[in-house]
Amino acid sequence: MCLAIPSRITDIESGVATIDVEGVQRKASLMLVEDARVGDYVIVHAGFAIQVLDEETALSSLNFMRDVFLSDNPPENM
Amino acid sequence: MLHISEYRDSRLCHSIASRIAARSSRPVRIMEVCGTHTVSIFRNGIRWLLPEGVDLISGPGCPVCVTAQGEIDAAISLARQTDTIVATFGDLIRVPGSNSSLQQEKAAGNDVRIVYSASDAVEIARQNPVKHVVFLGVGFETTAPTIAASVLAARQAGIENYSVFAMHKIVPPALEALMEMEGVEIDAFLLPGHVSVIIGMQGYSQFFENYRVPCAVAGFEPVDILRALLRLTEMLDTGDSQLENCYPRAVAEQGNPAARQIMDTVFEVCDADWRGLGWIPASGMQFRDAFADHDARKKFNVHPPDVAPPAGCACGDILTGAKTPPECPLYKTRCTPINPVGPCMVSTEGTCAAYFKYHEVQ
Ligand code: SF4
């Protein structure tokens, strides 16, 4: 039931976003998220955006994991 | 694309998996409580990346699977009324009730429609003013706010012929029930990503304080899941239990307060009957009195009967992790995705269906 794929908002019109899910356009209500903007990635569940993904955190967790798991000299105390 | 491909990086996956192997010193049982995790774990071959001794068990994380048999029967009786249109998410339509299924009712000419969102059901109500549209509200904290939002939208638009048969479930009380059940052995929990988006890390704090069992919230890409499994393995290795957020790009400490507020406006907490787990206090949601005119239970006087699940179906044991699907005598014999006996084989997120689709292939 979960559509777990993050979708990007391409347009917003009176509380309804047009989202792009891997190339497919769909509609999602923005009733449950405050301040979603065009360009944001949102998690959509059953036709409603339920969260705006935090890009900064997404990147920093990735960089952290790359440092720890892909480098030859992993830092102590991960 | 950020959020997706990077979190599927196979080099990262293998590196994290090797660290899990290095940290697992004894056999452990880790339960995932989300059907989308179950599917992702199978589809990405995560079980086969893990060392022997790290056992993943699928808990009661598929909304359709935990819906009680009596509620399925009640939904079927709603579909039989001539003045109703029953709107439902697709997964529910094939679940066998005691004598029929929604699909059979539809084939018999009753108006049952599959919708993608509760908003679609409100739209059907708007277009069919002489009928009464009943939406079958299954799902956890992720889904309940969307359904509450549909009720608010219907009320605002003056659509009176829309109601919801609320069967929603709340996850943390089920975790408690699992910890208390005799014969259920769980060393750690992989917590559901999108339930947590709504309830936040704070939603588990009471449970964690009470049981001190290692818990990690995870996203749905393979790197997300493995990362959380590594943290759980480390906690089990050192004996240092934590409640940890391994999905911080989506899950906040406070969750999504706006969504919770909408949910709390329409629904209040009640006891609920879970397939496999039985009645769990404060684990469901029912309409507040102020919204009684959209409550299908009141409008149609629905009282789900206490009925036994299909004979021979081991769904109850599957949902608590006491059995795996191959241990059910009906698995792959009388019960297949084409001809399911129980809900765990119907829903694409059901453990039996996931085993059927992926297990033997890999
Ligand atoms: S295989 Fe079928 S009958 Fe057996 S537990 Fe699963 S759904 Fe029930």
Side-chain angles (χ1 to χ4, degrees), chain A residues 53-66:
Chain A
L53 286 163
D54 182 338
E55 294 215 15
E56 227 167 90
T57 310
L59 271 177
S60 67
S61 334
L62 260 179
N63 289 335
F64 171 80
M65 282 194 276
R66 283 173 178 152

PDB file of all heavy atoms in Angstrom, chain A residues 53-66:
ATOM      1  N   LEU A  53      10.972  15.391   1.914  1.00  0.00           N
ATOM      2  CA  LEU A  53      12.272  14.810   2.265  1.00  0.00           C
ATOM      3  C   LEU A  53      13.301  15.912   2.467  1.00  0.00           C
ATOM      4  O   LEU A  53      13.324  16.902   1.745  1.00  0.00           O
ATOM      5  CB  LEU A  53      12.736  13.855   1.169  1.00  0.00           C
ATOM      6  CG  LEU A  53      11.975  12.530   1.157  1.00  0.00           C
ATOM      7  CD1 LEU A  53      12.182  11.817  -0.160  1.00  0.00           C
ATOM      8  CD2 LEU A  53      12.421  11.650   2.315  1.00  0.00           C
ATOM      9  N   ASP A  54      14.150  15.703   3.447  1.00  0.00           N
ATOM     10  CA  ASP A  54      15.172  16.681   3.773  1.00  0.00           C
ATOM     11  C   ASP A  54      16.434  16.355   2.974  1.00  0.00           C
ATOM     12  O   ASP A  54      17.142  15.408   3.271  1.00  0.00           O
ATOM     13  CB  ASP A  54      15.437  16.600   5.285  1.00  0.00           C
ATOM     14  CG  ASP A  54      16.453  17.624   5.740  1.00  0.00           C
ATOM     15  OD1 ASP A  54      17.242  18.105   4.905  1.00  0.00           O
ATOM     16  OD2 ASP A  54      16.458  17.926   6.943  1.00  0.00           O
ATOM     17  N   GLU A  55      16.686  17.160   1.934  1.00  0.00           N
ATOM     18  CA  GLU A  55      17.791  16.839   1.021  1.00  0.00           C
ATOM     19  C   GLU A  55      19.143  16.942   1.702  1.00  0.00           C
ATOM     20  O   GLU A  55      20.051  16.164   1.436  1.00  0.00           O
ATOM     21  CB  GLU A  55      17.757  17.772  -0.195  1.00  0.00           C
ATOM     22  CG  GLU A  55      16.530  17.514  -1.016  1.00  0.00           C
ATOM     23  CD  GLU A  55      16.755  17.686  -2.508  1.00  0.00           C
ATOM     24  OE1 GLU A  55      17.925  17.740  -2.934  1.00  0.00           O
ATOM     25  OE2 GLU A  55      15.751  17.768  -3.223  1.00  0.00           O
ATOM     26  N   GLU A  56      19.266  17.944   2.571  1.00  0.00           N
ATOM     27  CA  GLU A  56      20.548  18.129   3.247  1.00  0.00           C
ATOM     28  C   GLU A  56      20.893  16.888   4.084  1.00  0.00           C
ATOM     29  O   GLU A  56      21.999  16.379   4.035  1.00  0.00           O
ATOM     30  CB  GLU A  56      20.458  19.341   4.164  1.00  0.00           C
ATOM     31  CG  GLU A  56      21.627  20.285   4.028  1.00  0.00           C
ATOM     32  CD  GLU A  56      21.304  21.585   4.733  1.00  0.00           C
ATOM     33  OE1 GLU A  56      21.610  21.676   5.927  1.00  0.00           O
ATOM     34  OE2 GLU A  56      20.708  22.473   4.077  1.00  0.00           O
ATOM     35  N   THR A  57      19.900  16.415   4.819  1.00  0.00           N
ATOM     36  CA  THR A  57      20.120  15.221   5.642  1.00  0.00           C
ATOM     37  C   THR A  57      20.386  14.010   4.758  1.00  0.00           C
ATOM     38  O   THR A  57      21.245  13.176   5.068  1.00  0.00           O
ATOM     39  CB  THR A  57      18.891  14.949   6.529  1.00  0.00           C
ATOM     40  OG1 THR A  57      18.554  16.162   7.182  1.00  0.00           O
ATOM     41  CG2 THR A  57      19.154  13.882   7.536  1.00  0.00           C
ATOM     42  N   ALA A  58      19.653  13.910   3.652  1.00  0.00           N
ATOM     43  CA  ALA A  58      19.851  12.771   2.741  1.00  0.00           C
ATOM     44  C   ALA A  58      21.298  12.727   2.273  1.00  0.00           C
ATOM     45  O   ALA A  58      21.934  11.671   2.256  1.00  0.00           O
ATOM     46  CB  ALA A  58      18.916  12.887   1.552  1.00  0.00           C
ATOM     47  N   LEU A  59      21.813  13.891   1.906  1.00  0.00           N
ATOM     48  CA  LEU A  59      23.194  13.953   1.411  1.00  0.00           C
ATOM     49  C   LEU A  59      24.196  13.687   2.510  1.00  0.00           C
ATOM     50  O   LEU A  59      25.159  12.945   2.326  1.00  0.00           O
ATOM     51  CB  LEU A  59      23.459  15.335   0.817  1.00  0.00           C
ATOM     52  CG  LEU A  59      23.131  15.477  -0.662  1.00  0.00           C
ATOM     53  CD1 LEU A  59      23.365  16.921  -1.093  1.00  0.00           C
ATOM     54  CD2 LEU A  59      23.992  14.529  -1.494  1.00  0.00           C
ATOM     55  N   SER A  60      23.967  14.288   3.678  1.00  0.00           N
ATOM     56  CA  SER A  60      24.974  14.114   4.725  1.00  0.00           C
ATOM     57  C   SER A  60      24.985  12.674   5.234  1.00  0.00           C
ATOM     58  O   SER A  60      26.049  12.128   5.509  1.00  0.00           O
ATOM     59  CB  SER A  60      24.804  15.134   5.849  1.00  0.00           C
ATOM     60  OG  SER A  60      23.611  14.889   6.523  1.00  0.00           O
ATOM     61  N   SER A  61      23.811  11.998   5.305  1.00  0.00           N
ATOM     62  CA  SER A  61      23.860  10.586   5.720  1.00  0.00           C
ATOM     63  C   SER A  61      24.620   9.759   4.689  1.00  0.00           C
ATOM     64  O   SER A  61      25.363   8.848   5.038  1.00  0.00           O
ATOM     65  CB  SER A  61      22.481   9.942   5.898  1.00  0.00           C
ATOM     66  OG  SER A  61      21.493  10.835   6.202  1.00  0.00           O
ATOM     67  N   LEU A  62      24.397  10.085   3.411  1.00  0.00           N
ATOM     68  CA  LEU A  62      25.101   9.329   2.366  1.00  0.00           C
ATOM     69  C   LEU A  62      26.612   9.524   2.456  1.00  0.00           C
ATOM     70  O   LEU A  62      27.374   8.559   2.413  1.00  0.00           O
ATOM     71  CB  LEU A  62      24.650   9.833   1.006  1.00  0.00           C
ATOM     72  CG  LEU A  62      23.621   9.019   0.273  1.00  0.00           C
ATOM     73  CD1 LEU A  62      23.308   9.700  -1.041  1.00  0.00           C
ATOM     74  CD2 LEU A  62      24.089   7.592   0.032  1.00  0.00           C
ATOM     75  N   ASN A  63      27.000  10.788   2.594  1.00  0.00           N
ATOM     76  CA  ASN A  63      28.441  11.060   2.671  1.00  0.00           C
ATOM     77  C   ASN A  63      29.057  10.375   3.879  1.00  0.00           C
ATOM     78  O   ASN A  63      30.148   9.809   3.799  1.00  0.00           O
ATOM     79  CB  ASN A  63      28.700  12.564   2.721  1.00  0.00           C
ATOM     80  CG  ASN A  63      28.398  13.196   1.370  1.00  0.00           C
ATOM     81  OD1 ASN A  63      28.456  12.511   0.339  1.00  0.00           O
ATOM     82  ND2 ASN A  63      28.053  14.477   1.365  1.00  0.00           N
ATOM     83  N   PHE A  64      28.319  10.404   4.972  1.00  0.00           N
ATOM     84  CA  PHE A  64      28.793   9.732   6.180  1.00  0.00           C
ATOM     85  C   PHE A  64      28.985   8.236   5.902  1.00  0.00           C
ATOM     86  O   PHE A  64      30.045   7.668   6.188  1.00  0.00           O
ATOM     87  CB  PHE A  64      27.784   9.950   7.307  1.00  0.00           C
ATOM     88  CG  PHE A  64      28.057   9.128   8.531  1.00  0.00           C
ATOM     89  CD1 PHE A  64      29.022   9.526   9.441  1.00  0.00           C
ATOM     90  CD2 PHE A  64      27.355   7.951   8.762  1.00  0.00           C
ATOM     91  CE1 PHE A  64      29.276   8.755  10.572  1.00  0.00           C
ATOM     92  CE2 PHE A  64      27.611   7.183   9.883  1.00  0.00           C
ATOM     93  CZ  PHE A  64      28.570   7.569  10.790  1.00  0.00           C
ATOM     94  N   MET A  65      27.988   7.624   5.290  1.00  0.00           N
ATOM     95  CA  MET A  65      28.080   6.177   5.045  1.00  0.00           C
ATOM     96  C   MET A  65      29.194   5.856   4.064  1.00  0.00           C
ATOM     97  O   MET A  65      29.908   4.872   4.216  1.00  0.00           O
ATOM     98  CB  MET A  65      26.745   5.648   4.533  1.00  0.00           C
ATOM     99  CG  MET A  65      25.730   5.482   5.641  1.00  0.00           C
ATOM    100  SD  MET A  65      24.307   4.514   5.142  1.00  0.00           S
ATOM    101  CE  MET A  65      23.323   5.756   4.355  1.00  0.00           C
ATOM    102  N   ARG A  66      29.357   6.717   3.058  1.00  0.00           N
ATOM    103  CA  ARG A  66      30.442   6.471   2.102  1.00  0.00           C
ATOM    104  C   ARG A  66      31.790   6.541   2.807  1.00  0.00           C
ATOM    105  O   ARG A  66      32.660   5.708   2.585  1.00  0.00           O
ATOM    106  CB  ARG A  66      30.379   7.478   0.962  1.00  0.00           C
ATOM    107  CG  ARG A  66      29.286   7.147  -0.030  1.00  0.00           C
ATOM    108  CD  ARG A  66      29.137   8.252  -1.051  1.00  0.00           C
ATOM    109  NE  ARG A  66      28.123   7.920  -2.029  1.00  0.00           N
ATOM    110  CZ  ARG A  66      27.406   8.818  -2.683  1.00  0.00           C
ATOM    111  NH1 ARG A  66      27.598  10.104  -2.461  1.00  0.00           N
ATOM    112  NH2 ARG A  66      26.502   8.434  -3.551  1.00  0.00           N
TER     113      ARG A  66
END
